[in-house]
Amino acid sequence: MVRCSSNNKPWINPDIKALLKEKKRAFKSGNKEGLRTAQKKLRRKIRRAKAAYRRRMEQQLQNQNISGPMSPWHFIMKDAVWHHSCRSNDILSSSQNHLPDEGPVVETLLYMVWKWGSLSGSTTTAERRFSNSKRNRQWPRQVWEGIRAITDYKRRSPPPSADSPTLAEDLNLFYARFDRDNTDPVLPPLPTTGLAPVLSMHEVRRAFCSINTRKAAGPDGVLGRVLKDCAAELADVFTSIFNISFSCSLVPACFKAATIVPLPKQPNVTCLNDFRPVALTSIPAKCLERLVIKHIKAALPLSLDPHQFAYRENRSTEDAIATVLHTLLEHLEHKNTYARLLFVDYSSAFNTIRPYKLRPKLHQLGLNTTLCNWIVDFLTNRTQSVRVGKNISSTLVVNTGAPQGCVLSPLLYTLYTHDCLASSASNLIVKFADDTTVLGLITNNDEANYRREVQHLESWCHNNNLVLNTKKTKEIVVDFRRRGHTDHQPLFIGKDVVERVQSFKFLGVTVTEDLSWGDHISKAVGKAQQRLYYLRKLKSAHISRPLMVNFYNCAISSVLTYGFLVWFSSCSKADQQALQRVVKAAGRIIGTTLPGISTIFSTRCLRRVHNILRDQHHPAHHLFHLLPSGRRYRSIQARTSRLANSLYPQAVRLLNSAPLTSLPPSHGQ
């Protein structure tokens, strides 16, 4: 009997396994003629199996847009959902001041959905039931898994060791440590002054249809594939539950439960802080959070916190870095100036949000009281447990923080920190989620405003329950003055001295004190050259050219061009040639001509600038002034080559040299 294990290569089949056994028997028996014959058959069989697997992957990639028949789940769920929709109608007709029997109704419904989802038995049976529709959604991933199987690219890191039976309990107490000092009083609900958000069945159905079925289920065990394939039948009853939750400003308890799965931040774990807490929450709750986000964003002013670059449309890490560098370089154009960059690190920033301090900020931003009360209830009395392997900790009730895994958590954190602003015009605070950078522009050696800014930030963190991690907070001093200006006084946060470094990885880009990009580019080139090995393995497996180009774009080009717009125009010719050599090597392996590195920069730069010009609230929008002729933009004046070669002056030159048909419409300067 021949068996194929799950860890075999995907092209291994029973015939190849049988030939392997035949070869082994011939070797042990000393039959040289039989061994040569078995080896010859085995090589031929493996070559044919690899070719068949390659053709199957390519065919799947070409056919991934073919639609399949309607899933059988649409017919299976009707009776159960009809029964629970009757129960939800009873809820709708009851008092609006409380949520009657919400626990049994919601939990029973989730149990029914989970029960029907488990009817399919094994994964193989479920795949047969979903047939073409499920297979079409998985084909791109199957192709990528096939590429990984061929190249051994990015092997999965092992889960944390569960040798210690107390690890789960210790981690649970560690993640809830900020809740121990929370002595805030219980917040009474704000009086209702506006209409509660009302969701339509169409919105809920669309939210269910957009579920990523590969996401893990939460503590309720409801699978995303069940909600997605039964969206039409489940939308009605869940719409009723969601709207009742809004009108009463109460969140069902089962929507506030989380199972935390710790993931190692680094290969060698030395302490509890080396585990990243990833919370698995209910998938229906995540759908509700996505719908809530739309109502929250609709109530926020467009100009809110312009220097927060995370979780916002038309913002990226490149924008954050470019804003800091352009402000710094403009300041260095003047005489007797330098700058200090403070890269702030917080300890578990998302776990420090307190509803008592968040609600006044939300109300001040214009959210109606019903939504404010709903968010407060969402963050209070949350239950959490930690799962490490087969060990599960006890359940704790927490009233501090937003779990890393909730859809709402990033937005709530940005709203919680939106009032963290610079107090002086000579300073700039730039944020990307919880990564905060303080830029101090120093003139005539007067650092008073900068040091007051750091003290103000320290005080703000204390008032808002954020903990500054002074061991990971670093500082860079950028000073190009020639003589007698190298001795800078150290910076203190409390009683701790902030370490001054020569380089720092700022949002994935290595920034040095001399603003050179050699370190960053050499690391990127080295990493990309290592990945050329996987491209050669694809070539030896006779993978088609389009698939190899896709692999190059995903695994190699993305490394070479990360933060591309910020540093490419300022780097040396030698660095640009090093980047181009990697591109040419990849092109030779694939057997095609890939776009040159300079061409990629020009294309991306023009596209980025056009997006900035269409966004009047972008921090760089004011840098582009259309001349009275309406054909060209005013050049950004620069005394030094450092500023002249940076992103925004280079972008203006590209705009002015581009054809008139490619220029964006006038934006009313």
Side-chain angles (χ1 to χ4, degrees):
M1 183 178 179
V2 179
R3 293 181 179 178
C4 290
S5 305
S6 59
N7 59 349
N8 289 140
K9 295 294 185 182
W11 54 80
I12 298 295
N13 55 39
D15 293 339
I16 294 177
K17 300 279 279 193
L19 286 173
L20 285 169
K21 287 189 175 183
E22 181 181 338
K23 175 186 170 184
K24 188 175 181 180
R25 285 194 299 268
F27 177 78
K28 286 185 176 181
S29 63
N31 185 359
K32 295 183 179 180
E33 185 65 27
L35 179 61
R36 282 195 294 269
T37 302
Q39 287 175 334
K40 186 176 181 180
K41 291 181 180 178
L42 182 61
R43 283 194 296 268
R44 186 185 303 115
K45 198 71 177 178
I46 290 177
R47 186 166 59 250
R48 291 176 179 174
K50 284 184 176 180
Y53 178 71
R54 171 178 54 80
R55 288 193 298 269
R56 189 164 65 251
M57 279 199 309
E58 294 172 0
Q59 185 65 30
Q60 288 176 348
L61 185 64
Q62 293 172 2
N63 297 338
Q64 62 180 316
N65 292 325
I66 299 176
S67 58
M70 184 177 290
S71 168
W73 288 98
H74 293 279
F75 304 102
I76 295 175
M77 289 297 297
K78 283 186 177 179
D79 292 336
V81 175
W82 176 84
H83 171 72
H84 286 282
S85 65
C86 295
R87 291 291 305 274
S88 64
N89 289 333
D90 296 339
I91 301 175
L92 285 172
S93 61
S94 62
S95 172
Q96 298 298 311
N97 296 326
H98 63 286
L99 195 59
D101 297 330
E102 57 87 10
V105 172
V106 178
E107 291 176 2
T108 303
L109 176 63
L110 295 180
Y111 171 77
M112 293 292 290
V113 176
W114 168 81
K115 189 67 177 176
W116 283 113
S118 63
L119 286 178
S120 57
S122 65
T123 305
T124 305
T125 306
E127 288 176 353
R128 288 198 300 269
R129 284 177 176 268
F130 284 96
S131 63
N132 293 340
S133 61
K134 183 173 176 62
R135 195 182 303 118
N136 289 331
R137 292 194 298 268
Q138 288 187 341
W139 271 348
R141 176 161 183 82
Q142 288 174 354
V143 172
W144 182 246
E145 289 293 343
I147 291 175
R148 288 181 56 186
I150 294 172
T151 61
D152 290 331
Y153 173 69
K154 277 195 174 181
R155 291 185 176 181
R156 297 181 184 274
S157 57
S161 174
D163 295 338
S164 173
T166 62
L167 178 60
E169 200 69 42
D170 294 340
L171 284 171
N172 200 22
L173 294 173
F174 177 74
Y175 294 145
R177 66 191 185 278
F178 294 103
D179 195 54
R180 301 171 196 163
D181 301 328
N182 188 352
T183 58
D184 296 337
V186 178
L187 283 173
L190 291 171
T192 303
T193 57
L195 296 176
V198 178
L199 303 176
S200 66
M201 193 170 67
H202 176 69
E203 290 179 297
V204 176
R205 183 169 63 248
R206 287 187 60 183
F208 284 173
C209 289
S210 63
I211 290 174
N212 184 353
T213 56
R214 293 189 56 252
K215 295 295 184 180
D220 53 18
V222 175
L223 299 175
R225 63 180 173 86
V226 179
L227 293 172
K228 184 168 187 174
D229 286 274
C230 304
E233 288 75 24
L234 293 172
D236 188 14
V237 63
F238 273 103
T239 301
S240 301
I241 293 171
F242 292 169
N243 284 330
I244 293 170
S245 175
F246 282 142
S247 62
C248 301
S249 296
L250 295 174
V251 182
C254 53
F255 284 4
K256 298 193 288 185
T259 300
I260 297 176
V261 179
L263 297 178
K265 299 179 182 178
Q266 52 194 16
N268 299 322
V269 175
T270 58
C271 61
L272 296 179
N273 199 34
D274 289 339
F275 290 101
R276 189 183 310 279
V278 177
L280 302 180
T281 58
S282 171
I283 293 180
K286 289 181 179 180
C287 294
L288 176 58
E289 293 174 52
R290 289 189 182 94
L291 296 169
V292 172
I293 284 179
K294 296 180 182 178
H295 290 273
I296 295 176
K297 289 185 176 180
L300 297 175
L302 295 175
S303 58
L304 174 68
D305 199 0
H307 291 118
Q308 171 60 268
F309 290 87
Y311 318 118
R312 300 184 67 176
E313 187 179 359
N314 198 27
R315 302 290 191 277
S316 66
T317 54
E318 281 184 332
D319 292 309
I321 301 171
T323 299
V324 171
L325 291 180
H326 184 78
T327 306
L328 185 153
L329 291 172
E330 275 195 329
H331 176 70
L332 295 182
E333 292 285 286
H334 306 289
K335 292 183 178 180
N336 198 22
T337 57
Y338 64 97
R340 302 186 73 146
L341 280 166
L342 180 68
F343 302 100
V344 179
D345 184 84
Y346 297 116
S347 296
S348 302
F350 281 32
N351 293 336
T352 60
I353 299 176
R354 288 190 177 179
Y356 183 80
K357 298 182 180 296
L358 175 63
R359 192 177 73 174
K361 298 182 181 184
L362 297 177
H363 191 53
Q364 183 182 9
L365 288 172
L367 272 67
N368 65 47
T369 56
T370 303
L371 206 51
C372 291
N373 292 334
W374 188 93
I375 292 173
V376 169
D377 189 74
F378 174 79
L379 293 175
T380 54
N381 294 323
R382 299 191 63 92
T383 58
Q384 70 175 40
S385 59
V386 174
R387 186 179 71 207
V388 180
K390 296 182 179 180
N391 299 322
I392 300 178
S393 70
S394 59
T395 300
L396 294 179
V397 179
V398 294
N399 296 285
T400 304
Q404 294 186 33
C406 283
V407 179
L408 261 177
S409 298
L411 177 61
L412 294 181
Y413 178 81
T414 58
L415 298 180
Y416 188 69
T417 59
H418 82 278
D419 56 344
C420 179
L421 304 172
S423 59
S424 172
S426 61
N427 301 315
L428 178 68
I429 296 181
V430 171
K431 294 169 282 187
F432 192 90
D434 59 338
D435 291 318
T436 303
T437 304
V438 180
L439 171 62
L441 307 176
I442 315 299
T443 304
N444 297 327
N445 296 324
D446 184 7
E447 298 184 351
N449 287 337
Y450 172 68
R451 295 182 181 274
R452 277 197 297 269
E453 191 69 62
V454 175
Q455 293 176 356
H456 178 264
L457 177 64
E458 183 183 1
S459 175
W460 182 91
C461 291
H462 178 74
N463 295 334
N464 289 273
N465 198 40
L466 269 75
V467 179
L468 285 169
N469 188 347
T470 54
K471 291 183 179 179
K472 292 185 178 181
T473 298
K474 309 296 181 183
E475 187 187 35
I476 286 180
V477 178
V478 181
D479 190 351
F480 292 106
R481 295 176 298 176
R482 294 184 178 179
R483 293 174 295 180
H485 300 290
T486 58
D487 186 20
H488 297 281
Q489 296 299 316
L491 179 69
F492 287 84
I493 295 180
K495 296 181 180 180
D496 299 324
V497 180
V498 177
E499 181 184 0
R500 179 182 169 185
V501 295
Q502 294 182 344
S503 65
F504 185 82
K505 199 168 186 179
F506 176 31
L507 298 178
V509 175
T510 303
V511 178
T512 61
E513 60 182 2
D514 61 353
L515 299 184
S516 62
W517 304 107
D519 289 351
H520 176 80
I521 293 173
S522 62
K523 292 177 183 177
V525 168
K527 192 174 182 180
Q529 287 175 336
Q530 290 176 352
R531 296 186 179 186
L532 289 177
Y533 163 76
Y534 302 111
L535 197 60
R536 293 187 178 96
K537 292 198 72 173
L538 291 178
K539 178 72 172 179
S540 63
H542 304 289
I543 296 297
S544 67
R545 195 171 295 167
L547 275 179
M548 287 196 289
V549 172
N550 285 340
F551 179 83
Y552 164 78
N553 290 329
C554 294
I556 300 174
S557 179
S558 61
V559 172
L560 290 177
T561 60
Y562 179 79
F564 195 44
L565 300 181
V566 173
W567 49 261
F568 179 76
S569 58
S570 302
C571 67
S572 64
K573 291 294 182 182
D575 289 333
Q576 293 182 12
Q577 291 170 359
L579 295 167
Q580 186 61 33
R581 281 195 294 271
V582 178
V583 176
K584 286 185 177 180
R588 285 194 298 269
I589 295 171
I590 298 172
T592 187
T593 302
L594 297 171
I597 207 76
S598 299
T599 304
I600 298 174
F601 172 78
S602 300
T603 303
R604 291 191 184 180
C605 187
L606 285 174
R607 186 190 308 134
R608 188 78 203 103
V609 171
H610 288 180
N611 290 334
I612 292 174
L613 293 175
R614 295 186 184 100
D615 184 358
Q616 294 185 0
H617 299 284
H618 195 283
H621 182 80
H622 71 282
L623 297 175
F624 299 89
H625 297 273
L626 200 61
L627 292 174
S629 64
R631 298 181 179 182
R632 294 172 59 86
Y633 286 82
R634 190 181 305 278
S635 298
I636 298 176
Q637 297 299 318
R639 186 174 60 87
T640 62
S641 60
R642 286 189 299 268
L643 178 60
N645 293 333
S646 62
L647 172 60
Y648 295 126
Q650 180 74 10
V652 172
R653 288 194 289 271
L654 283 174
L655 271 178
N656 291 335
S657 61
L660 293 178
T661 54
S662 67
L663 291 179
S666 175
H667 51 281
Q669 290 291 344

